[in-house]
Amino acid sequence: MVLNKSSCLVLGIHCGLFLSALILASFTLRMPAEQVPASIGTSVPVRFTDVRQAAGIRFEQDSTQTEEKYYLETMGTGVAWFDYDQDGLMDLFFVQSAATDIYKPPHPLRCALYRNNGDGTFSDVTERAGLAGEGHYGQGVAVGDFNNDGYPDLYVTGYGRAILYRNNGDGTFSDVTAKAGVADDGGWSTSAGWFDYDKDGWLDLVVTNYIEWSPKNNLWCGEHRPGYRSYCHPGNYKGQRIVLYHNNHDGTFTDVSDRSGVGRPEAKGMGVVLADLNNDGWPDIAVANDSWPNFLFLNKHDGTFEDVSLVSGVAASEDGRYEAGMGVDAADVDGDGWMDLYITHLDFELNRLYRNNRDGTFTDDTFSSGIGNKAILLSGVAMKFVDYDNDGWNDILQLNGAMLDNIQLYHSEVSYKEPLLMFRNLGKGRFEKVSESLGTDFMRPIAGRGLAIADYDNDGDMDIVTNNRGGYPSLLRNDGGNANHWLTVLLIGTKSNRDGIGATLRLSSGGFVEVEQAKGGTSYMSASDPRIHFGLGKRTRVAWLEITWPSGQVDRLTSVPVDQIIAVKEGTGRVPRHFPTVPNSVRREQTASKSSQSSAH
């Protein structure tokens, strides 16, 4: 992550206008000549509207920035969607930073939990919930029901330590880090994810750690003249290790990092996704590393993992470079039933789409997919696969923002604040950039860091939240995506973990089969709506929905009505569950309110 490859090799940072020009020219020459196939899905007009102010969200991320350019400052913080009170509505949790030895804010810095009121507004319930986390320099957040009590818990990563908050089921949380043994003391934890790697019915925890940085070894990087000091490149620091905690079923965890093989290689971990990448029924681990080989650990079904990073083809780019990996997600983009990978990188690098070859290897499909160099001047931080227009194909949503706040001193063509990016899947994994068609709020430049998606208003299309460095977040409501049909599934495990993480869902509609997985991790330091969302285009009937649970149980539902959220319990099938929708009148009031207010950005 930190420090673009676009920065000069002056006192520890990288650059080269001439080299960048050569790279850009090379990318242009390599663009494929073949035509992109016509869309198989049915597109509908979509606009994203920023309703943060009308929704009552007042959280503001503090970058803790000083002239000393502490490496920690540029990372930003994550965000999570989760239904903490189990009322059928997605609530919001924003991770916050903290004071440092040289930065003393005028008021205490706290994380924020916002309860979804079901009318388009949110209420700040942080203090009652006990989630302020004051004094903890937070980084990311992972959501999972680690004790199978039906209420989602929070793991908040951070600099020096992490915190596990147990959901008490009454609107409050308890810090159980010490008892659980998951503090990751001395680590600089960034992303984390919950998954059941041994399929014993209890969620285990993966934590990605970054580099050995501290205020004592904070180097001067950049030119020695006013305003030119920059955040350093990670190559100046030794990496840390990935940590794997095994759930002991009694509220405690055991560190099995070395025994499992996951913690052996040096890492500079930023993003993680936990999914079955070789279709053997067991969850694997993919890690986006910063200027370091990306990791792919395949589950060997015996509590250990095989490091296939290099032989699989995901460690590096097509031309063998280790790029600034940050955000990562997995999804089936071409309809073959196998999970593909996407990893974001900084400006003057490419964001990589790795196509699953179904034989344990991946092909860098960045150019042949149509993505190519269309975002070469953007710094990709976080990303999510999302079917934003419900046409049945996974699209690519990417959050951007340069790591250097003074980047224009080094590259005038690159901006610190950058707009979001959307690549629409035209069918079978061929993409076109459609960002400009999604509205002015979608295109507003931000210093993006955390990114998560959810259908927070339960209207059938996926909405977006971003946590922006040194500013207010964005809450982008999807207006129009539900003109196509859809189905959303909440999983309730019994023999499997309560969240159903690790389940594979196959949906057949109109002769078209879609495959999704309940994954852990994803994006960058953030957590999204755990419910599984299917876009159906103009198809009005689901022939069958088959769920293969981690336990091996297979549930098959037939003739499922569309345009609804359903709850499916392992071994039982559909069960009653209420998912309130936001009234249309309130949505109109929100839009009117937004139009009458000036932006706080």
Side-chain angles (χ1 to χ4, degrees):
M1 161 199 157
V2 175
L3 260 235
N4 326 36
K5 303 301 190 286
S6 56
S7 308
C8 282
L9 190 57
V10 176
L11 296 176
I13 65 172
H14 292 278
C15 153
L17 284 171
F18 178 67
L19 177 59
S20 300
L22 287 178
I23 293 172
L24 185 57
S26 171
F27 289 157
T28 304
L29 289 173
R30 293 174 54 203
M31 287 296 289
E34 67 267 19
Q35 295 295 313
V36 174
S39 173
I40 295 176
T42 304
S43 181
V44 293
V46 174
R47 296 291 185 275
F48 285 94
T49 305
D50 191 348
V51 295
R52 176 194 63 82
Q53 289 189 18
I57 295 173
R58 305 289 181 252
F59 174 82
E60 185 175 5
Q61 203 273 345
D62 195 317
S63 67
T64 70
Q65 185 165 331
T66 70
E67 291 303 312
E68 293 300 310
K69 297 290 183 182
Y70 273 12
Y71 205 124
L72 190 63
E73 300 166 2
T74 193
M75 301 284 283
T77 52
V79 59
W81 289 106
F82 74 129
D83 184 5
Y84 83 94
D85 53 2
Q86 294 296 282
D87 65 353
L89 292 160
M90 289 291 116
D91 309 298
L92 262 177
F93 178 75
F94 293 95
V95 182
Q96 182 62 286
S97 56
T100 69
D101 59 342
I102 58 172
Y103 178 78
K104 308 300 179 186
H107 52 80
L109 299 182
R110 300 184 176 97
C111 297
L113 175 64
Y114 284 91
R115 182 181 183 271
N116 190 332
N117 297 322
D119 61 0
T121 68
F122 291 77
S123 295
D124 187 336
V125 295
T126 312
E127 292 305 319
R128 178 180 185 277
L131 290 176
E134 186 177 333
H136 176 235
Y137 203 114
Q139 291 284 260
V141 55
V143 178
D145 183 1
F146 78 86
N147 57 359
N148 287 334
D149 67 350
Y151 287 89
D153 311 296
L154 289 183
Y155 186 75
V156 182
T157 63
Y159 179 73
R161 64 186 176 97
I163 301 175
L164 176 60
Y165 292 104
R166 185 191 64 215
N167 191 329
N168 298 321
D170 60 359
T172 69
F173 291 76
S174 296
D175 181 344
V176 296
T177 315
K179 176 187 175 183
V182 292
D184 192 33
D185 283 321
W188 181 354
S189 51
T190 52
S191 293
W194 296 95
F195 75 149
D196 183 5
Y197 76 90
D198 54 357
K199 300 208 291 186
D200 64 355
W202 297 77
L203 288 179
D204 311 299
L205 179 65
V206 170
V207 182
T208 64
N209 283 302
Y210 194 36
I211 57 173
E212 296 290 348
W213 173 90
S214 75
K216 294 180 179 179
N217 67 3
N218 189 56
L219 303 174
W220 182 294
C221 295
E223 298 182 36
H224 283 264
R225 49 177 171 149
Y228 277 76
R229 186 173 184 176
S230 296
Y231 298 104
C232 292
H233 186 276
N236 289 287
Y237 299 95
K238 179 179 172 61
Q240 294 192 330
R241 296 288 190 274
I242 308 299
V243 177
L244 175 59
Y245 292 108
H246 177 260
N247 192 327
N248 298 326
H249 313 173
D250 60 0
T252 70
F253 292 75
T254 298
D255 186 339
V256 295
S257 309
D258 290 336
R259 186 193 320 164
S260 67
V262 170
R264 291 174 186 167
E266 181 180 348
K268 297 183 179 181
M270 299 297 274
V272 62
V273 61
L274 308 167
D276 181 6
L277 296 170
N278 59 356
N279 278 4
D280 66 351
W282 293 75
D284 309 303
I285 303 171
V287 176
N289 281 309
D290 185 6
S291 305
W292 199 255
N294 300 314
F295 293 158
L296 177 55
F297 297 105
L298 293 183
N299 195 322
K300 296 176 65 176
H301 315 172
D302 60 0
T304 68
F305 290 80
E306 180 182 3
D307 186 347
V308 298
S309 308
L310 292 172
V311 297
S312 68
V314 304
S317 64
E318 183 180 26
D319 51 358
R321 292 186 300 136
Y322 302 140
E323 297 173 306
M326 295 190 67
V328 62
D329 197 4
D332 177 14
V333 302
D334 52 7
D336 66 354
W338 294 67
M339 297 291 107
D340 310 293
L341 289 168
Y342 187 88
I343 300 178
T344 65
H345 301 106
L346 299 189
D347 52 57
F348 296 103
E349 296 179 338
L350 298 183
N351 304 290
R352 301 287 173 177
L353 176 64
Y354 293 99
R355 183 97 58 167
N356 195 323
N357 296 325
R358 297 176 284 181
D359 61 1
T361 68
F362 291 76
T363 296
D364 185 342
D365 206 32
T366 304
F367 279 99
S368 59
S369 66
I371 295 170
N373 64 349
K374 294 177 181 176
I376 195 169
L377 295 181
L378 299 177
S379 290
V381 179
M383 65 80 50
K384 279 291 297 176
F385 283 112
V386 57
D387 186 359
Y388 79 94
D389 57 356
N390 282 342
D391 68 349
W393 293 95
N394 280 299
D395 311 300
I396 296 171
L397 169 66
Q398 180 174 309
L399 177 69
N400 307 293
M403 295 299 110
L404 301 184
D405 56 326
N406 58 357
I407 183 64
Q408 287 196 306
L409 296 178
Y410 292 96
H411 285 281
S412 60
E413 69 273 41
V414 176
S415 299
Y416 168 55
K417 293 185 176 182
E418 300 171 342
L420 286 161
L421 177 67
M422 186 76 81
F423 285 113
R424 179 173 180 260
N425 193 334
L426 301 174
K428 294 188 178 296
R430 298 296 180 264
F431 294 86
E432 69 173 353
K433 182 182 174 186
V434 296
S435 310
E436 290 78 7
S437 71
L438 300 179
T440 56
D441 287 346
F442 188 88
M443 290 299 296
R444 186 179 69 249
I446 55 177
R449 294 299 186 262
L451 169 72
I453 59 172
D455 183 6
Y456 82 88
D457 47 10
N458 287 341
D459 68 346
D461 48 32
M462 301 303 289
D463 312 296
I464 302 168
V465 68
T466 71
N467 198 353
N468 306 323
R469 179 181 185 252
Y472 293 101
S474 305
L475 177 57
L476 299 174
R477 189 187 64 212
N478 185 324
D479 294 327
N482 56 11
N484 273 329
H485 296 296
W486 56 277
L487 178 70
T488 299
V489 183
L490 172 70
L491 299 175
I492 304 173
T494 54
K495 291 185 293 183
S496 302
N497 65 84
R498 181 65 178 250
D499 294 336
I501 294 177
T504 297
L505 294 81
R506 292 169 52 85
L507 179 147
S508 176
S509 175
F512 184 71
V513 177
E514 299 178 52
V515 178
E516 298 288 349
Q517 292 184 14
K519 301 168 293 190
T522 80
S523 190
Y524 167 72
M525 305 200 305
S526 300
S528 292
D529 191 334
R531 301 172 297 185
I532 310 301
H533 183 81
F534 292 94
L536 300 174
K538 299 306 178 185
R539 302 184 295 278
T540 59
R541 178 176 174 272
V542 173
W544 49 262
L545 171 66
E546 183 179 272
I547 303 172
T548 303
W549 299 83
S551 67
Q553 168 75 30
V554 178
D555 291 327
R556 188 179 177 93
L557 288 67
T558 57
S559 300
V560 181
V562 302
D563 298 337
Q564 62 177 305
I565 306 172
I566 64 173
V568 180
K569 189 173 184 179
E570 182 180 8
T572 301
R574 287 189 62 183
V575 294
R577 191 75 175 255
H578 183 51
F579 300 99
T581 56
V582 174
N584 287 333
S585 59
V586 175
R587 290 165 62 87
R588 286 196 297 270
E589 290 169 9
Q590 280 187 301
T591 303
S593 174
K594 177 183 180 300
S595 299
S596 66
Q597 298 180 49
S598 60
S599 173
H601 287 276

